[in-house]
Amino acid sequence: MNIHKPFLAVLGALFLTLCMSAPALSDSAYIDVSGQGKLDVYPDFLTLSVELSATEKDVVSAKNKVDDAFAQLSDVAEKHGIAEDDIESVRISNYPQWEYQGNGKRQLIGHRVIRPVTITLRSLEKYGPFLEEVLIDERYRIQNTSLGFDKPAEHESKARRLALLDAKAKAEEMAATLGQKITGVIWIQEQAAHFPQPVMMLESAPMMRSAKADSGSGMKIQEQTISQQVQVRFEMDED
């Protein structure tokens, strides 16, 4: 008795069922195109990271100097209309200063206290004057600046729509040139949006601390280009 026949029969029936239920592969013509969308917008705010520091023989004196610097920085910020909620300083660090001697020993000679401060500037016209007033004080050091948008998702969505329209226009032009037309979309692949950093021109700190620094001349912020790119496969038929 051949026990393999029933098994082969079942396997054949299963294979036939799968073949009948599987969708037929499309043999339609298609075209792959890329689309790019660009949107020029001004940043809504600028985040400024400032480091306050002081070095003294004892940690209390160093901390007091840093606290005084922070109080004066807060006064300057208030003068330029920066809200108290836009000034953040939640930590302070102490670094003992050592002098290493020739016998392999070290001697404590002082303490360096550092207090980082983050300031959010929301009025574009105040960026330059505020920065210049900060930079003329040697107790302050600008560590980093970064722009921000209040509605980044909205800008990204607009740039994505422009990218899709760009891809569609390219596909329609290419298809028409070949005597065909676009009938549908097979797949879309999105790439990450590009949010640039601010275009700023800051003079060096020594120059900014000199008497010839003009108000508003040390910083320039331009429109920022937010870009989005997509890859789209369009189905084509003869026109």
Side-chain angles (χ1 to χ4, degrees):
M1 179 179 179
N2 191 345
I3 61 174
H4 296 289
K5 289 184 178 180
F7 174 75
L8 293 175
V10 172
L11 183 62
L14 178 62
F15 177 76
L16 181 61
T17 302
L18 291 175
C19 291
M20 294 178 63
S21 61
L25 295 178
S26 174
D27 57 357
S28 300
Y30 63 84
I31 181 173
D32 292 337
V33 297
S34 63
Q36 187 172 28
K38 292 184 178 181
L39 193 68
D40 293 330
V41 294
Y42 278 103
D44 296 304
F45 59 88
L46 182 73
T47 301
L48 184 67
S49 298
V50 185
E51 180 186 271
L52 315 182
S53 65
T55 302
E56 295 293 332
K57 289 186 176 181
D58 63 275
V59 66
V60 174
S61 298
K63 181 181 181 301
N64 288 340
K65 279 198 171 184
V66 168
D67 289 343
D68 290 341
F70 177 74
Q72 185 169 339
L73 181 63
S74 299
D75 290 341
V76 173
E78 182 180 0
K79 170 185 172 182
H80 288 275
I82 298 174
E84 185 177 353
D85 291 343
D86 288 330
I87 304 173
E88 182 179 349
S89 179
V90 296
R91 65 184 179 88
I92 190 168
S93 303
N94 171 44
Y95 299 92
Q97 304 296 295
W98 300 94
E99 183 179 82
Y100 289 88
Q101 302 172 348
N103 56 8
K105 295 183 179 180
R106 63 179 184 175
Q107 180 181 359
L108 182 65
I109 60 173
H111 294 267
R112 183 167 185 250
V113 173
I114 297 176
R115 183 173 184 177
V117 181
T118 300
I119 301 175
T120 301
L121 304 173
R122 301 186 185 277
S123 298
L124 289 170
E125 68 275 8
K126 297 178 181 178
Y127 291 172
F130 173 76
L131 279 182
E132 289 181 357
E133 193 163 348
V134 169
L135 288 173
I136 61 175
D137 195 322
E138 295 184 356
R139 297 174 299 174
Y140 308 135
R141 181 181 178 186
I142 306 300
Q143 293 290 91
N144 184 44
T145 56
S146 60
L147 65 82
F149 300 93
D150 289 333
K151 299 178 179 179
E154 182 176 306
H155 298 320
E156 183 178 351
S157 177
K158 290 180 180 179
R160 183 167 50 247
R161 287 199 295 269
L162 292 174
L164 290 170
L165 290 174
D166 181 50
K168 182 181 178 182
K170 286 181 181 179
E172 288 177 341
E173 177 188 4
M174 296 169 71
T177 302
L178 299 176
Q180 296 191 348
K181 63 179 180 179
I182 300 301
T183 58
V185 175
I186 299 175
W187 57 258
I188 302 174
Q189 183 178 16
E190 177 190 10
Q191 298 183 357
H194 173 63
F195 284 85
Q197 288 303 301
V199 177
M200 299 190 306
M201 301 177 65
L202 282 173
E203 299 178 22
S204 64
M207 289 186 63
M208 293 293 290
R209 291 172 182 145
S210 69
K212 64 178 183 179
D214 299 325
S215 176
S217 65
M219 183 174 183
K220 183 179 181 181
I221 297 180
Q222 300 176 344
E223 280 187 315
Q224 305 300 303
T225 300
I226 299 173
S227 62
Q228 177 70 286
Q229 190 168 355
V230 295
Q231 298 286 335
V232 186
R233 173 170 292 180
F234 291 94
E235 188 176 30
M236 296 191 308
D237 279 339
E238 292 187 1
D239 199 351

